[in-house]
């Protein structure tokens, strides 16, 4: 393993080596994720205070911070303990009071002796008709005026760390900035007029005005780009190291695909055709495919997946399609069965339910190559599962499978191509952050024949009307989902909410027609309840959010989401996509608790206006921000300290193409710019990437 370059040693020393930082302060700073001088540098001020010297407090718009030279007059100690200690002072034009609570007379006589001249800086406000400065932040003799920054940066703090401490510590860290070689493409840097790294850091920590603090200032944009570039370099290295695994060229002759096309009652959309040809091109190369197929609810991903599996079969091999749960695996089986029949290929399913002789028979057929396409759950990972010639592995719903499992599956077919499908439309900037090591195909058109879903907002006060509506719909033989709110505090509360709703609906609609699914249920019970709903035995399914992504009940035409304002937009869009899968018109009722906040209202209205998942995801990103949108659970996405994904998403795309270009020109990163990029990776703590280079 290569070791950290010496030029960075000062930035990665102990915090206590900085002047003004003792062991106690260092402990507090760790709460902010600051454990080395480097982290202080990447903790930028979020606002600033104008402390430029003014002539007088007279006429400035109060309350505000003022720095002014005063002549100190009489002291008026407080009459009762802990009361206000007032000092009369005069500036060039007017007089005002400096006020201290719990002021100690001996101390105040020393720092503000009567008759002296001092520079004071602090917040000035009007109180009972008197102008006051309470507890000034600075009180210094005139000759030390340069100690007060004309524009003082304000840092994020934590208990035990003051602004003064942060200011001093960051100044000390700035003194350690080394001169580093440039890792940014020179054309890019010139075009954007970005400063050098060290200059950008100095500027970001010594703003002259509020403009300097904005994310769009040249210094901050450059530092944000450095973060994104390091992240994209890591992903590009991961991609390059995956590509070092020799793949196998699988070239289909199209005969099986042609049979399926002939059997379909409609033509494929342009987006489907484009995605299939992107997959075919990847599979034809002798490096391993690593592609993400991103499609909105109802955009026809299953068909693209099946055509891709057929390429593997046409090339003389096998394909596997993995789903996160038994229900989804069975559903894929049902969806693919008719397609497999029209193509004349052998399709089988393997899940944890297969036992004994039946399982053995399947495994043997798989090993002989008699089963051409296998649908399964993670049971496919088990050691005794062997393929005759696995060419393509498709993984459904990415976030349920870790990268490790992607690799496990790859081992089953030493050179199998990998296609990951996700039904969650992700804004482009986020997709690049999360799946930057993959190539992305997007399905952004809907196949003909899908009916739009009517979306309406109703307040919880109208619950009885909604229940009546369900009764009418069920009388026509249709089915309904009822999603209960997510109560963050505890799953137990979630459970009572769902059970209460279940009891109320059962009382209103009759025994036996209402089912219940929630997170605490044993999987077998959950499956059984879902199966009863799928087969039409129950008319209403009450659920916490675990209505599996992808569950397909074409007969369900109403989706009620209770307390819709507590869900994320993307999640609401996913839930809504559970209806509208059949030939009948469908409705989604968003029940909210009045009064709705302004943003709550705006979010629900976006859903009412559009069914375009990508537009909804973009809105969600703008409204809720990056961190909330992905949720902390999705650890695939880095937390950036400077880069702001909502506003700087476009930089991410530039960083990605730049990182890939750099690696294409200098795969071992040993030319000058490549060596500078290695330093950047160390600077950004991208240890993974560094391991990948040293292995390479």
């Amino acid at each position: 393993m290569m070791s950290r370059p010496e030029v960075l040693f000062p930035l990665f020393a102990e915090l206590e080596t900085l002047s003004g930082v003792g062991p106690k302060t260092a402990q507090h700073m760790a709460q902010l994720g600051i454990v080395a001088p480097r982290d202080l540098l990447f903790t930028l001020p979020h606002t600033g205070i104008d402390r430029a010297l003014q002539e007088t407090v007279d006429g400035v718009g109060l309350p505000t911070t003022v720095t002014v030279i005063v002549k100190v007059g009489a002291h008026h100690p407080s009459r009762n303990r802990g009361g206000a200690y007032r000092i009369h002072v005069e500036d060039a034009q007017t007089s005002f009071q400096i006020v201290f609570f719990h002021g100690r007379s001996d101390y105040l006589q020393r720092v503000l002796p009567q008759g002296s001249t001092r520079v004071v800086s602090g917040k000035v406000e009007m109180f009972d008709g008197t102008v006051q400065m309470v507890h000034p932040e600075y009180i210094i003799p005139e000759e030390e005026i340069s100690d007060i920054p004309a524009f003082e940066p304000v840092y994020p703090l934590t208990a035990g760390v003051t602004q003064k401490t942060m200011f001093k510590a960051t100044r000390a860290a700035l003194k350690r900035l080394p001169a580093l070689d440039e890792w940014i493409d020179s054309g890019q840097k010139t075009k954007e007029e970005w400063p050098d790294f060290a200059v950008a850091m100095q500027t970001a920590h010594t703003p002259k005005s509020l403009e300097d603090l904005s994310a769009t200032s040249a210094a901050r944009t450059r530092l944000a780009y450095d973060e994104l570039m390091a992240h994209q370099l890591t992903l590009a290295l991961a991609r390059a190291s995956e590509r070092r695994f020799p793949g196998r060229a699988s070239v289909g002759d199209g005969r099986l695909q042609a049979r399926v096309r002939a059997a379909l009652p409609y033509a494929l959309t342009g987006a489907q055709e484009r995605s299939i040809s992107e997959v075919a091109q990847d599979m034809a190369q002798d490096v391993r495919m690593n592609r993400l197929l991103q499609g909105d609810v109802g955009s026809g991903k299953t068909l693209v997946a099946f055509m891709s599996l057929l390429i593997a079969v046409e090339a003389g091999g096998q394909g596997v399609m993995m789903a996160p749960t038994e229900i989804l695996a069975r559903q894929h089986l049902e969806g693919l069965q008719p397609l497999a029949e029209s193509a004349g290929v052998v399709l089988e399913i393997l899940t944890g339910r297969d036992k004994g002789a039946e399982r053995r028979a399947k495994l043997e057929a798989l090993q002989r190559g008699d089963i051409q396409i296998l649908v399964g759950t993670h049971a496919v990972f088990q050691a005794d599962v062997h393929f005759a010639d696995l060419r393509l592995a498709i993984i459904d719903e990415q976030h349920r499978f870790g990268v490790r499992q992607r690799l496990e599956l790859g081992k089953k077919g030493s050179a199998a191509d990998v296609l990951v499908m996700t039904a969650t439309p992700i804004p482009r900037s986020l997709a690049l952050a999360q799946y930057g090591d993959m190539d992305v195909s997007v399905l952004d058109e809907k196949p003909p024949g899908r009916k739009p879903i009517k979306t309406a907002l109703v307040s919880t006060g109208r619950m009885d009307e909604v229940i009546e509506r369900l009764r009418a719909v069920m009388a026509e033989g249709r089915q309904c989902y009822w999603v209960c709110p997510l109560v963050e505090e505890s799953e137990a509360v979630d459970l009572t909410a769902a059970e209460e709703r279940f009891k109320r609906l059962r009382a209103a609609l009759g025994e036996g027609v209402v089912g219940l699914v929630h997170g605490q249920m044993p999987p077998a019970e959950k499956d059984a309840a879902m199966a009863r709903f799928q087969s039409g035995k129950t008319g209403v399914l009450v659920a916490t959010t675990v209505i599996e992504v992808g569950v397909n009940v074409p007969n369900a035409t109403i989706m009620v989401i209770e307390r819709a304002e507590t869900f994320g937009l993307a999640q609401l869009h996913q839930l809504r996509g559970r209806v509208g899968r059949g030939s009948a018109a469908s409705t989604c009722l968003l029940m909210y608790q009045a009064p709705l906040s302004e943003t709550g209202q705006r979010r629900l209205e976006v859903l009412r206006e559009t069914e375009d998942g990508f537009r909804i995801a973009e809105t969600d990103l703008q409204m809720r921000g990056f961190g909330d949108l992905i949720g902390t659970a999705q650890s695939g996405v880095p937390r950036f300290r400077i880069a702001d994904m909502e506003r700087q998403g476009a930089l991410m795309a530039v960083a990605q193409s730049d990182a890939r270009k750099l690696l294409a020109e200098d795969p071992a990163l040993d030319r000058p710019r490549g060596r500078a990029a290695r330093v950047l990776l160390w600077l950004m703590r991208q240890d993974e990437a560094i391991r990948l280079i040293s292995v390479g």
Side-chain angles (χ1 to χ4, degrees), residues 627-646:
D628 286 340
L629 184 59
I630 51 179
T632 37
Q634 295 202 1
S635 52
V637 180
R639 290 304 182 96
F640 298 111
R641 287 193 96 120
I642 295 176
D644 172 344
M645 288 293 298
E646 291 107 90

PDB file of all heavy atoms in Angstrom, residues 627-646:
ATOM      1  N   GLY A 627     -29.177  15.400   1.452  1.00  0.00           N
ATOM      2  CA  GLY A 627     -29.060  14.453   2.561  1.00  0.00           C
ATOM      3  C   GLY A 627     -30.358  13.736   2.863  1.00  0.00           C
ATOM      4  O   GLY A 627     -30.397  12.524   3.051  1.00  0.00           O
ATOM      5  N   ASP A 628     -31.462  14.520   2.874  1.00  0.00           N
ATOM      6  CA  ASP A 628     -32.757  13.908   3.179  1.00  0.00           C
ATOM      7  C   ASP A 628     -33.205  12.959   2.100  1.00  0.00           C
ATOM      8  O   ASP A 628     -33.791  11.930   2.356  1.00  0.00           O
ATOM      9  CB  ASP A 628     -33.843  14.989   3.267  1.00  0.00           C
ATOM     10  CG  ASP A 628     -33.710  15.770   4.542  1.00  0.00           C
ATOM     11  OD1 ASP A 628     -33.063  15.239   5.457  1.00  0.00           O
ATOM     12  OD2 ASP A 628     -34.235  16.884   4.619  1.00  0.00           O
ATOM     13  N   LEU A 629     -32.943  13.357   0.857  1.00  0.00           N
ATOM     14  CA  LEU A 629     -33.508  12.623  -0.257  1.00  0.00           C
ATOM     15  C   LEU A 629     -32.996  11.199  -0.282  1.00  0.00           C
ATOM     16  O   LEU A 629     -33.734  10.253  -0.500  1.00  0.00           O
ATOM     17  CB  LEU A 629     -33.150  13.334  -1.562  1.00  0.00           C
ATOM     18  CG  LEU A 629     -33.762  12.737  -2.813  1.00  0.00           C
ATOM     19  CD1 LEU A 629     -35.276  12.744  -2.708  1.00  0.00           C
ATOM     20  CD2 LEU A 629     -33.343  13.537  -4.025  1.00  0.00           C
ATOM     21  N   ILE A 630     -31.691  11.047  -0.045  1.00  0.00           N
ATOM     22  CA  ILE A 630     -31.159   9.692  -0.138  1.00  0.00           C
ATOM     23  C   ILE A 630     -31.327   8.973   1.182  1.00  0.00           C
ATOM     24  O   ILE A 630     -31.264   7.767   1.236  1.00  0.00           O
ATOM     25  CB  ILE A 630     -29.669   9.727  -0.485  1.00  0.00           C
ATOM     26  CG1 ILE A 630     -28.966  10.663   0.478  1.00  0.00           C
ATOM     27  CG2 ILE A 630     -29.484  10.153  -1.913  1.00  0.00           C
ATOM     28  CD1 ILE A 630     -27.514  10.742   0.248  1.00  0.00           C
ATOM     29  N   GLY A 631     -31.552   9.752   2.256  1.00  0.00           N
ATOM     30  CA  GLY A 631     -31.698   9.099   3.552  1.00  0.00           C
ATOM     31  C   GLY A 631     -30.337   8.575   3.955  1.00  0.00           C
ATOM     32  O   GLY A 631     -29.535   8.183   3.132  1.00  0.00           O
ATOM     33  N   THR A 632     -30.062   8.559   5.245  1.00  0.00           N
ATOM     34  CA  THR A 632     -28.727   8.135   5.664  1.00  0.00           C
ATOM     35  C   THR A 632     -28.524   6.655   5.394  1.00  0.00           C
ATOM     36  O   THR A 632     -27.424   6.177   5.312  1.00  0.00           O
ATOM     37  CB  THR A 632     -28.534   8.407   7.165  1.00  0.00           C
ATOM     38  OG1 THR A 632     -29.783   8.148   7.790  1.00  0.00           O
ATOM     39  CG2 THR A 632     -28.140   9.832   7.400  1.00  0.00           C
ATOM     40  N   ALA A 633     -29.636   5.925   5.245  1.00  0.00           N
ATOM     41  CA  ALA A 633     -29.514   4.481   5.045  1.00  0.00           C
ATOM     42  C   ALA A 633     -28.784   4.162   3.752  1.00  0.00           C
ATOM     43  O   ALA A 633     -28.070   3.177   3.659  1.00  0.00           O
ATOM     44  CB  ALA A 633     -30.896   3.848   5.017  1.00  0.00           C
ATOM     45  N   GLN A 634     -28.973   5.013   2.742  1.00  0.00           N
ATOM     46  CA  GLN A 634     -28.333   4.690   1.475  1.00  0.00           C
ATOM     47  C   GLN A 634     -26.904   5.183   1.500  1.00  0.00           C
ATOM     48  O   GLN A 634     -26.579   6.249   1.048  1.00  0.00           O
ATOM     49  CB  GLN A 634     -29.094   5.323   0.317  1.00  0.00           C
ATOM     50  CG  GLN A 634     -30.465   4.724   0.206  1.00  0.00           C
ATOM     51  CD  GLN A 634     -31.023   4.900  -1.186  1.00  0.00           C
ATOM     52  OE1 GLN A 634     -30.392   5.438  -2.066  1.00  0.00           O
ATOM     53  NE2 GLN A 634     -32.222   4.418  -1.390  1.00  0.00           N
ATOM     54  N   SER A 635     -26.044   4.334   2.041  1.00  0.00           N
ATOM     55  CA  SER A 635     -24.686   4.782   2.294  1.00  0.00           C
ATOM     56  C   SER A 635     -23.860   4.856   1.021  1.00  0.00           C
ATOM     57  O   SER A 635     -22.698   5.157   1.056  1.00  0.00           O
ATOM     58  CB  SER A 635     -24.038   3.820   3.271  1.00  0.00           C
ATOM     59  OG  SER A 635     -24.206   2.508   2.765  1.00  0.00           O
ATOM     60  N   GLY A 636     -24.471   4.555  -0.120  1.00  0.00           N
ATOM     61  CA  GLY A 636     -23.707   4.600  -1.362  1.00  0.00           C
ATOM     62  C   GLY A 636     -23.318   6.012  -1.735  1.00  0.00           C
ATOM     63  O   GLY A 636     -22.497   6.230  -2.613  1.00  0.00           O
ATOM     64  N   VAL A 637     -23.891   6.997  -1.067  1.00  0.00           N
ATOM     65  CA  VAL A 637     -23.635   8.365  -1.477  1.00  0.00           C
ATOM     66  C   VAL A 637     -22.788   9.085  -0.452  1.00  0.00           C
ATOM     67  O   VAL A 637     -23.063   9.042   0.738  1.00  0.00           O
ATOM     68  CB  VAL A 637     -24.964   9.119  -1.657  1.00  0.00           C
ATOM     69  CG1 VAL A 637     -24.707  10.541  -2.077  1.00  0.00           C
ATOM     70  CG2 VAL A 637     -25.794   8.409  -2.688  1.00  0.00           C
ATOM     71  N   PRO A 638     -21.727   9.745  -0.907  1.00  0.00           N
ATOM     72  CA  PRO A 638     -20.822  10.428   0.014  1.00  0.00           C
ATOM     73  C   PRO A 638     -21.466  11.686   0.577  1.00  0.00           C
ATOM     74  O   PRO A 638     -22.351  12.253  -0.038  1.00  0.00           O
ATOM     75  CB  PRO A 638     -19.668  10.821  -0.905  1.00  0.00           C
ATOM     76  CG  PRO A 638     -20.315  10.989  -2.240  1.00  0.00           C
ATOM     77  CD  PRO A 638     -21.384   9.954  -2.307  1.00  0.00           C
ATOM     78  N   ARG A 639     -21.009  12.091   1.748  1.00  0.00           N
ATOM     79  CA  ARG A 639     -21.417  13.395   2.267  1.00  0.00           C
ATOM     80  C   ARG A 639     -20.284  14.354   1.942  1.00  0.00           C
ATOM     81  O   ARG A 639     -19.166  14.151   2.378  1.00  0.00           O
ATOM     82  CB  ARG A 639     -21.587  13.322   3.798  1.00  0.00           C
ATOM     83  CG  ARG A 639     -22.783  12.508   4.229  1.00  0.00           C
ATOM     84  CD  ARG A 639     -24.041  13.086   3.570  1.00  0.00           C
ATOM     85  NE  ARG A 639     -25.235  12.396   3.975  1.00  0.00           N
ATOM     86  CZ  ARG A 639     -26.021  12.806   4.954  1.00  0.00           C
ATOM     87  NH1 ARG A 639     -25.717  13.881   5.635  1.00  0.00           N
ATOM     88  NH2 ARG A 639     -27.121  12.149   5.235  1.00  0.00           N
ATOM     89  N   PHE A 640     -20.589  15.381   1.162  1.00  0.00           N
ATOM     90  CA  PHE A 640     -19.530  16.323   0.823  1.00  0.00           C
ATOM     91  C   PHE A 640     -19.521  17.451   1.838  1.00  0.00           C
ATOM     92  O   PHE A 640     -20.558  17.854   2.328  1.00  0.00           O
ATOM     93  CB  PHE A 640     -19.756  16.878  -0.583  1.00  0.00           C
ATOM     94  CG  PHE A 640     -19.718  15.811  -1.641  1.00  0.00           C
ATOM     95  CD1 PHE A 640     -20.869  15.446  -2.320  1.00  0.00           C
ATOM     96  CD2 PHE A 640     -18.535  15.158  -1.932  1.00  0.00           C
ATOM     97  CE1 PHE A 640     -20.838  14.453  -3.284  1.00  0.00           C
ATOM     98  CE2 PHE A 640     -18.492  14.164  -2.899  1.00  0.00           C
ATOM     99  CZ  PHE A 640     -19.649  13.806  -3.575  1.00  0.00           C
ATOM    100  N   ARG A 641     -18.333  17.978   2.147  1.00  0.00           N
ATOM    101  CA  ARG A 641     -18.258  19.059   3.133  1.00  0.00           C
ATOM    102  C   ARG A 641     -18.470  20.414   2.473  1.00  0.00           C
ATOM    103  O   ARG A 641     -18.911  21.353   3.114  1.00  0.00           O
ATOM    104  CB  ARG A 641     -16.889  19.047   3.837  1.00  0.00           C
ATOM    105  CG  ARG A 641     -16.757  17.896   4.815  1.00  0.00           C
ATOM    106  CD  ARG A 641     -15.541  18.097   5.721  1.00  0.00           C
ATOM    107  NE  ARG A 641     -15.933  18.698   6.981  1.00  0.00           N
ATOM    108  CZ  ARG A 641     -15.741  18.129   8.172  1.00  0.00           C
ATOM    109  NH1 ARG A 641     -15.199  16.956   8.255  1.00  0.00           N
ATOM    110  NH2 ARG A 641     -16.119  18.738   9.271  1.00  0.00           N
ATOM    111  N   ILE A 642     -18.085  20.529   1.210  1.00  0.00           N
ATOM    112  CA  ILE A 642     -18.176  21.830   0.553  1.00  0.00           C
ATOM    113  C   ILE A 642     -19.167  21.788  -0.599  1.00  0.00           C
ATOM    114  O   ILE A 642     -20.008  22.656  -0.737  1.00  0.00           O
ATOM    115  CB  ILE A 642     -16.780  22.284   0.043  1.00  0.00           C
ATOM    116  CG1 ILE A 642     -15.861  22.515   1.243  1.00  0.00           C
ATOM    117  CG2 ILE A 642     -16.902  23.547  -0.808  1.00  0.00           C
ATOM    118  CD1 ILE A 642     -14.438  22.868   0.891  1.00  0.00           C
ATOM    119  N   ALA A 643     -19.072  20.769  -1.433  1.00  0.00           N
ATOM    120  CA  ALA A 643     -19.938  20.699  -2.609  1.00  0.00           C
ATOM    121  C   ALA A 643     -21.397  20.617  -2.181  1.00  0.00           C
ATOM    122  O   ALA A 643     -21.735  19.940  -1.228  1.00  0.00           O
ATOM    123  CB  ALA A 643     -19.571  19.475  -3.442  1.00  0.00           C
ATOM    124  N   ASP A 644     -22.233  21.350  -2.898  1.00  0.00           N
ATOM    125  CA  ASP A 644     -23.654  21.385  -2.590  1.00  0.00           C
ATOM    126  C   ASP A 644     -24.377  20.730  -3.762  1.00  0.00           C
ATOM    127  O   ASP A 644     -24.501  21.301  -4.825  1.00  0.00           O
ATOM    128  CB  ASP A 644     -24.054  22.862  -2.442  1.00  0.00           C
ATOM    129  CG  ASP A 644     -25.541  23.045  -2.312  1.00  0.00           C
ATOM    130  OD1 ASP A 644     -26.297  22.106  -2.633  1.00  0.00           O
ATOM    131  OD2 ASP A 644     -25.970  24.137  -1.889  1.00  0.00           O
ATOM    132  N   MET A 645     -24.833  19.484  -3.536  1.00  0.00           N
ATOM    133  CA  MET A 645     -25.359  18.708  -4.643  1.00  0.00           C
ATOM    134  C   MET A 645     -26.577  19.341  -5.301  1.00  0.00           C
ATOM    135  O   MET A 645     -26.793  19.184  -6.487  1.00  0.00           O
ATOM    136  CB  MET A 645     -25.739  17.310  -4.174  1.00  0.00           C
ATOM    137  CG  MET A 645     -24.550  16.455  -3.876  1.00  0.00           C
ATOM    138  SD  MET A 645     -23.631  16.096  -5.361  1.00  0.00           S
ATOM    139  CE  MET A 645     -24.874  15.226  -6.251  1.00  0.00           C
ATOM    140  N   GLU A 646     -27.391  20.032  -4.520  1.00  0.00           N
ATOM    141  CA  GLU A 646     -28.591  20.591  -5.144  1.00  0.00           C
ATOM    142  C   GLU A 646     -28.207  21.657  -6.164  1.00  0.00           C
ATOM    143  O   GLU A 646     -28.779  21.747  -7.220  1.00  0.00           O
ATOM    144  CB  GLU A 646     -29.515  21.238  -4.114  1.00  0.00           C
ATOM    145  CG  GLU A 646     -30.176  20.254  -3.197  1.00  0.00           C
ATOM    146  CD  GLU A 646     -29.587  20.297  -1.807  1.00  0.00           C
ATOM    147  OE1 GLU A 646     -30.081  21.070  -0.980  1.00  0.00           O
ATOM    148  OE2 GLU A 646     -28.619  19.556  -1.540  1.00  0.00           O
TER     149      GLU A 646
END
